[in-house]
């Protein structure tokens, strides 16, 4: 029996995915005035779902590479970044990360009390 | 790797937007300058932005089989002069007037500059918000160690 169960590993993976997504969204906002820039996003939920569905929660095997998002509307200068959409996506991502971190902390606390470390 | 990348990327955005504000301010300040260093009317300047290519660290991570980074932010490739002709103003008393009494004014339109200024300052704020968000996420991670 491992110290960290699949759920804990999945939480870690989700936090990593959320971090990569935060970086991708920050890149979108930094390039809000770059002509021809195509926005990027990370669908880490999908990657996690695929991994969990296949019965593996091996964190290292998960791939959170940002993908170019070609579905967003294109501005006259070829840029596809919408500041409002990016900001709301970023707020959502930050809240999600917060939730994941709290759940992770609670689970670590449980482990600690089981080990007798306070 | 991780959230420190996000801080650097937002920082590059801040640098780029601040430069845009500086250049816009220079354009506005020179809206009536009929002579530059070469004796020509002032030409408005514009900042050219480009998506930054990933640096050495990213190339190394890729070579070692790591995941490719989410991006490297934005970079300024140059400040170019706007080539549109300046408007002619009839002012025979001006020392820069030509034989017909017309002065070539700079091609600066204050309205364009003001909208550029607002655009740059809003984009700056968006980058600050992104940076704060990354910072908060990072401190949440540190809280796990408590």
């Amino acid at each position: 029996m491992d110290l960290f169960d699949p759920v804990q590993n999945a939480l870690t993976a989700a936090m990593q995915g959320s971090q990569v997504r935060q970086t991708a969204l920050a890149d979108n906002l930094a390039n809000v005035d770059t002509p021809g820039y195509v926005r990027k996003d990370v669908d880490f939920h999908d990657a996690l779902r695929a991994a969990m569905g296949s019965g593996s929660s091996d964190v290292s095997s998960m791939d959170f590479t940002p993908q170019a998002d070609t579905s967003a509307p294109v501005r006259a200068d070829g840029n596809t970044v919408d500041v409002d959409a990016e900001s709301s996506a970023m707020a959502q991502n930050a809240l999600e990360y917060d939730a994941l971190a709290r759940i992770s902390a609670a689970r670590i606390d449980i482990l600690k009390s089981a080990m007798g470390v306070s | 790797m991780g959230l420190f990348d996000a801080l650097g990327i937002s920082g590059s955005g801040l640098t780029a937007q601040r430069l845009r504000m500086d250049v816009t301010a220079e354009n506005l300040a020179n809206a009536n300058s009929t002579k530059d260093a070469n004796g020509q009317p002032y030409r408005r300047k514009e900042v050219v932005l480009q998506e930054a290519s990933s640096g050495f660290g990213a190339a190394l991570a890729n070579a070692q089989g790591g995941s490719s980074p989410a991006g490297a932010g934005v970079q300024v490739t140059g400040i170019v002069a706007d080539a549109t002709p300046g408007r002619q103003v009839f002012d025979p008393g001006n020392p820069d007037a030509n034989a017909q009494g017309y002065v070539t004014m700079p091609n600066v339109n204050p309205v364009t500059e003001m909208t550029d200024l607002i655009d740059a300052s809003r984009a700056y704020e968006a980058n600050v918000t992104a940076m704060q968000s990354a910072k908060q996420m990072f401190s949440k991670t540190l809280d796990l160690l408590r």
Side-chain angles (χ1 to χ4, degrees):
Chain A
M1 162 95 198
D2 291 332
L3 178 58
F4 294 117
D5 58 340
V7 176
Q8 189 72 39
N9 288 336
L11 278 170
T12 313
M15 284 171 79
Q16 277 180 357
S18 184
Q19 284 184 6
V20 178
R21 181 157 195 237
Q22 171 73 22
T23 312
L25 295 177
D27 203 29
N28 289 342
L29 276 178
N31 282 293
V32 67
D33 286 312
T34 309
Y37 177 83
V38 178
R39 77 176 292 271
K40 288 180 286 208
D41 210 336
V42 183
D43 195 353
F44 67 92
H45 296 115
D46 223 37
L48 267 176
R49 205 177 294 123
M52 297 293 276
S54 69
S56 124
S57 60
D58 185 7
V59 178
S60 59
S61 74
M62 259 169 249
D63 182 28
F64 300 122
T65 311
Q67 306 291 333
D69 175 14
T70 46
S71 65
V74 185
R75 286 198 322 235
D77 60 354
N79 190 304
T80 67
V81 178
D82 174 1
V83 180
D84 300 318
E86 300 301 334
S87 305
S88 64
M90 194 171 261
Q92 185 208 340
N93 189 49
L95 283 173
E96 203 171 331
Y97 188 86
D98 191 13
L100 290 168
R102 279 178 200 219
I103 298 168
S104 217
R107 292 178 64 92
I108 289 172
D109 278 348
I110 292 172
L111 276 178
K112 275 186 183 168
S113 69
M115 289 187 283
V117 206
S118 60
Chain B
M1 163 61 212
L3 282 169
F4 286 121
D5 281 354
L7 289 182
I9 286 168
S10 295
S12 77
L14 293 182
T15 312
Q17 299 303 339
R18 179 170 284 275
L19 184 71
R20 278 184 73 210
M21 280 193 258
D22 288 350
V23 168
T24 311
E26 197 196 349
N27 287 342
L28 275 174
N30 284 298
N32 290 310
S33 307
T34 49
K35 258 199 177 87
D36 65 2
N38 304 318
Q40 294 297 310
Y42 176 81
R43 294 210 163 277
R44 77 178 280 267
K45 295 187 176 67
E46 218 166 348
V47 176
V48 184
L49 299 177
Q50 193 190 32
E51 186 185 3
S53 53
S54 309
F56 171 75
L60 187 68
N62 263 335
Q64 289 173 334
S67 63
S68 64
V74 63
Q75 67 183 13
V76 176
T77 44
I79 298 172
V80 294
D82 187 340
T84 49
R87 70 201 151 86
Q88 306 279 323
V89 173
F90 185 66
D91 183 9
N94 194 307
D96 290 325
N98 61 11
Q100 285 76 39
Y102 281 96
V103 184
T104 308
M105 298 301 286
N107 54 357
V108 177
N109 181 354
V111 179
T112 317
E113 301 307 327
M114 288 316 287
T115 45
D116 273 2
L117 198 61
I118 294 168
D119 184 50
S121 107
R122 290 287 177 268
Y124 190 89
E125 282 172 28
N127 278 297
V128 171
T129 313
M131 202 180 237
Q132 275 171 345
S133 169
K135 229 171 62 184
Q136 276 165 10
M137 280 169 72
F138 196 72
S139 63
K140 296 267 161 55
T141 319
L142 288 179
D143 282 349
L144 286 181
L145 296 173
R146 282 202 194 148

